[in-house]
Amino acid sequence: MHELTKEQARRISVLAQLLDAERPDDLLEMVRHLTLLQVEPTAAVAPSAHVVAWSRLGAGYRQSALDDLVGSGALVELHSMLRPAEDLALHRAEMAAWPSPVEWKDWERSLAEWVEANDDTRRDILAKLHDEGPCTTRELPDTTLVPWQSSGWNNDRNVSRLLDMMVQRGEVAVAGMDGRDKLWDLAERVYPDVEPVPLEEAMRIRGERRLRSLGLARARAAVAPSEPNDVGPVGEDAVVEGVRGRWRVDPTYLARLDDFSGRAALLSPLDRLVFDRKRMEELFEFDYQLEMYKPKAKRRFGYWALPVLYGDRLVGKVDATAERDAGILRVDAVHEDGRWTKAMRTAVGEEIDSLGDWLGLVVT
């Protein structure tokens, strides 16, 4: 049992997310370590995946480099995450066991029954993609016999929901973009031809890699969309001073704590350091919400406010917007949590200037 202070827990998290003073220098290796980059097209500053890469690699990162990795097939999209293509081997067995490799829950059975009821539509989609190649969602046939029904915005979005499940089954995949629309194709033409890793081994390896990228995580956590926040039994047992419950820690980071050297960084609101808001609050005691879905009058921090990391603390938010037509990066507010020193203000100011330079915009 490792007994960690909160400071040690935070430093492990920062090291694991490649946000310490020693920056990585290779984009593909960075993604392999992080295991994923979330695909989110909102570009109030820049799309999240690019902000995540810039915050690690720094001024030398070019957005075209990520596009090139996707275009070459080195990275593929799965569940709205860009992942190393070779990692598909760790997902194949789970795809084959859809909707679950264990006894189905009622909601999983309902999903399987809905797909079966619309099997003709599924086959129509596969046939069109086979014959014509990549298509947008609206170009695919909707011949569903049983419409998708929900109380949310997905109600009656039959083809979209069916495509989601066909992705989970390993039948179709995102092949690119047509403007803001995803292009779909047969998975066999997008994904590499890799031998599936047996399910139990694959889940263990995924847990190990997730823990390596987070440093410290719960063995079990609430279900999260697209990518779990928990890691299962991998790693070693740990407790964190002042935080209830037990954690799993990757022990390779423990030896690096004494030599920890941090820096200032501006983070995407979807950065994995802050994505699990419960973990963020427990370890960093940071008050933050993504407010893009809130009415403007109810926002405290801003539409797409960037969390500010300084050393091993999350210390504030930067409310910035890229106004590309005007050639400016408008900074409406820098929210300081607690009392900032002159050195903190200088370091964060330099990061804001660096962000503007990276975007090719003048900071105002």
Side-chain angles (χ1 to χ4, degrees), residues 64-82:
S64 59
L66 184 59
D67 298 335
D68 290 344
L69 289 178
V70 174
S72 71
L75 297 178
V76 295
E77 183 176 335
L78 175 63
H79 304 323
S80 298
M81 304 285 182
L82 292 177

Side-chain angles (χ1 to χ4, degrees), residues 31 73 93 102 119 126 142 155 179 207-208 211 214 221 239 275 295 329 361:
V31 180
V102 296
D119 191 59
L126 292 174
D142 183 356
N155 189 53
E208 289 173 345
L211 182 59
L214 296 173
V239 292
F275 188 79
L329 176 67
L361 304 174

